[in-house]
């Protein structure tokens, strides 16, 4: 799981956006790379707490999205399939 060191983080996020997958980081302004908390790519969304994640999920449902979400944190990757 997670963004591998051989992947282009920016392009990976673009693909997720194309497929309308809500993506964000847990308490970080920068999207992490595989071996580093720093990739140089700004996070599409920042979740400071569980309510932020729940709100993003509910907004997606209101917009008719039926897919999951991706919430990442450096050191521990968490794929939230809601």
């Amino acid at each position: 799981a997670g963004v591998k060191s051989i992947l282009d983080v920016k392009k990976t996020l673009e693909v997720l956006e194309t497929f309308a997958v809500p993506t964000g980081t847990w308490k970080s302004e920068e999207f992490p790379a595989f071996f580093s908390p720093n990739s140089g790519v700004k996070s599409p969304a920042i979740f400071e707490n569980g309510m932020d994640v729940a709100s993003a999920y509910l907004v997606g449902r209101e917009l008719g999205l039926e897919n999951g979400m991706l919430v990442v944190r450096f050191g521990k990757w968490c794929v939230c399939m809601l």
Side-chain angles (χ1 to χ4, degrees):
V3 178
K4 302 300 183 215
S5 58
I6 60 171
L7 293 181
D8 182 317
V9 174
K10 191 172 184 177
K11 287 183 182 179
T12 301
L13 289 172
E14 288 174 3
V15 170
L16 291 168
E17 181 181 10
T18 298
F19 287 101
V21 176
T23 305
T25 52
W26 183 258
K27 299 183 180 184
S28 175
E29 294 181 8
E30 190 171 345
F31 204 88
F34 190 64
F35 293 111
S36 170
N38 305 312
S39 67
V41 178
K42 185 177 177 184
S43 175
I46 302 166
F47 301 111
E48 294 292 338
N49 54 53
M51 288 298 292
D52 289 348
V53 176
S55 294
Y57 172 78
L58 292 174
V59 167
R61 286 295 182 248
E62 289 173 5
L63 293 172
L65 302 178
E66 297 180 0
N67 49 346
M69 292 179 64
L70 177 65
V71 180
V72 297
R73 181 181 82 106
F74 178 70
K76 183 176 182 180
W77 292 82
C78 183
V79 179
C80 302
M81 301 303 287
L82 303 173

